[in-house]
Amino acid sequence: MPDVTHHTADVNGTRLHYVAAGTTGSPILLVHGWPETWWAFRKLIPLLAETHRVFAVDLRGFGDSSHAGDDFSAATLAEDLHHLVAQLGAGPVHVLCQDASGPPVFQFAATHPGDVLSFTGVETTLTGYGLELLADVNHGGSWHVGFLGAPGIPQLLLSGHERDLIAGWAYPMMCRTEGAVTEADLDEFVRSYAGPDGWAGTSGLYRSIFTDNGATRAIAEAHPLTVPVLAVDGVNAGFTAQTLRQVTRGNVTAVQLDGVGHLVAQEAPEALAAALLTFVDAV
């Protein structure tokens, strides 16, 4: 992408890779889900950067951020974001999370409210509020949630089979918009997950679902979100909004994008940008 610059930040005992674009306006921090990296926002970033400073990060254990260490829990990833925002020096940010990044980004926003101007959740939920139910295959859940959260199993069984899972199963299952994700895009995602310790972040983040022990609910009850909140849903109509209303002190603005699958930023960047810009410019 010619209009982004690549950076690294040594924070909280790890090295994060992030990209930046735009020179004016309030800052927006984009946090990817699974199986994604910052590249999930490749089509969204230019739309936002016309009027805002935009940052998109690879979480610890994902993409081109460090995969070293053994702690990739949601709580640790939340602290990474807190230190990253401080190092960016851009002031509090409008933060957007999607999919599996919901838990760490919520913890970040709830425990460091001074870092956040607004909170946007896209096709996401939280542990204790429905995320763990997605592992229940007998009631509509998916096998991959428990599989990815089983200690050591992703690293043991997925190494060498990254394209089989990502391009062969995950993206066809999640995406409903033909042509939204190209073979070149899949090559980029597969590249990062096929690297050394490529499944470290995935394994740690999904394991947090099963080791949470009520921590997320306790944070939400003690520190509900007080900033403006936007919930954007695609195929899972109302799912994100239902979750965020339970952890927010004020109102939640809900946007439903019909005809869009789970990968909203990749499938409908224009619609997402329009909803996000309308929301953040009113804050």
Side-chain angles (χ1 to χ4, degrees):
M1 289 181 61
D3 296 327
V4 304
T5 55
H6 291 258
H7 308 267
T8 59
D10 292 320
V11 296
N12 199 32
T14 194
R15 174 165 292 181
L16 298 181
H17 166 258
Y18 68 94
V19 300
T23 58
T24 62
S26 54
I28 300 175
L29 175 63
L30 306 173
V31 187
H32 64 84
W34 183 91
E36 297 178 328
T37 64
W38 79 269
W39 188 250
F41 301 112
R42 62 196 176 278
K43 293 182 281 189
L44 182 64
I45 291 171
L47 302 176
L48 302 179
E50 293 179 6
T51 53
H52 289 267
R53 290 167 290 166
V54 184
F55 306 93
V57 64
D58 283 333
L59 290 168
R60 175 192 296 231
F62 291 87
D64 292 311
S65 288
S66 173
H67 293 230
D70 57 8
D71 185 358
F72 301 90
S73 64
T76 296
L77 270 55
E79 286 303 301
D80 290 348
L81 294 174
H82 166 59
H83 290 281
L84 175 64
V85 169
Q87 186 157 323
L88 290 176
V93 298
H94 300 282
V95 64
L96 178 147
C97 62
Q98 58 184 28
D99 184 63
S101 66
V105 176
F106 169 75
Q107 289 194 35
F108 156 66
T111 56
H112 300 287
D115 290 351
V116 179
L117 291 169
S118 72
F119 181 99
T120 296
V122 181
E123 281 279 309
T124 191
T125 185
L126 303 175
T127 311
Y129 295 90
L131 178 54
E132 67 283 355
L133 300 179
L134 298 181
D136 186 351
V137 295
N138 291 320
H139 295 89
S142 176
W143 64 271
H144 79 282
V145 179
F147 174 87
L148 295 176
I153 294 301
Q155 295 92 325
L156 177 66
L157 298 180
L158 294 179
S159 296
H161 299 283
E162 293 82 7
R163 181 169 292 277
D164 296 332
L165 182 71
I166 294 172
W169 176 79
Y171 272 78
M173 183 269 295
M174 294 179 179
C175 183
R176 289 191 172 186
T177 306
E178 186 175 355
V181 182
T182 67
E183 286 299 316
D185 296 326
L186 291 171
D187 287 345
E188 170 59 17
F189 292 124
V190 170
R191 175 196 68 81
S192 65
Y193 283 88
D197 297 318
W199 294 102
T202 297
S203 180
L205 183 55
Y206 274 85
R207 192 181 314 155
S208 292
I209 300 172
F210 305 101
T211 59
D212 182 80
N213 293 322
T216 300
R217 183 171 285 274
I219 291 171
E221 292 175 351
H223 307 286
L225 297 176
T226 57
V227 295
V229 173
L230 172 66
V232 181
D233 281 304
V235 63
N236 295 297
F239 191 57
T240 303
Q242 182 181 16
T243 296
L244 294 181
R245 287 191 178 105
Q246 298 179 71
V247 299
T248 302
R249 183 170 294 169
N251 294 326
V252 173
T253 301
V255 173
Q256 176 66 46
L257 301 179
D258 295 326
V260 178
H262 183 59
L263 306 173
V264 173
Q266 302 192 64
E267 296 183 56
E270 294 86 1
L272 179 56
L276 182 60
L277 290 172
T278 298
F279 171 71
V280 302
D281 290 344
V283 173

